[in-house]
Amino acid sequence: MLSWMSITASAGYAAAKATEWSVTNALRLALAEQGTQGTALHVSYLATDMAANVTAPKSDRAAVARATLDGVEAGLHEVPADDVRKEVQAAPAVGTEALYPQPAGRPALI
């Protein structure tokens, strides 16, 4: 989800994720010329050691793995692994205010 939005505590990480998403799209195009499928996985918090201290809900690793394999089999360009990712990715279509409601006094998405 940090490919599409930033949070103060992880601004550098979010910038890296946005860059990775752009590189993924470029590689997908380049590899398509040789018939290679490129599928990106997008997930918010995953139940791993890296997110052990995060109190927000986390996606189940096995469920994400199944969704990933199903997405690859279906030929998807991107696999939406959880509802948070879907909500965050959809927000820019209605404006950045949806991603960053805090200046208007509304609660943050994450």
Side-chain angles (χ1 to χ4, degrees):
M1 76 185 161
L2 291 177
S3 297
W4 297 281
M5 68 176 298
S6 186
I7 57 176
T8 304
S10 300
Y13 185 71
K17 288 293 184 182
T19 300
E20 289 173 27
W21 183 49
S22 181
V23 169
T24 298
N25 289 329
L27 287 172
R28 180 183 300 113
L29 292 172
L31 293 172
E33 294 174 8
Q34 66 181 28
T36 301
Q37 176 181 331
T39 302
L41 170 65
H42 297 280
V43 63
S44 56
Y45 294 114
L46 193 59
T48 64
D49 291 343
M50 182 178 169
N53 294 327
V54 174
T55 58
K58 299 175 189 82
S59 296
D60 176 68
R61 292 179 290 190
V64 170
R66 282 190 299 276
T68 302
L69 294 174
D70 290 347
V72 169
E73 185 176 356
L76 298 179
H77 292 305
E78 297 187 346
V79 174
D82 58 32
D83 290 337
V84 173
R85 176 268 183 198
K86 294 172 191 173
E87 183 179 347
V88 170
Q89 189 181 17
V94 295
T96 55
E97 292 82 6
L99 281 177
Y100 305 106
Q102 302 93 320
R106 295 186 309 275
L109 290 174
I110 60 168

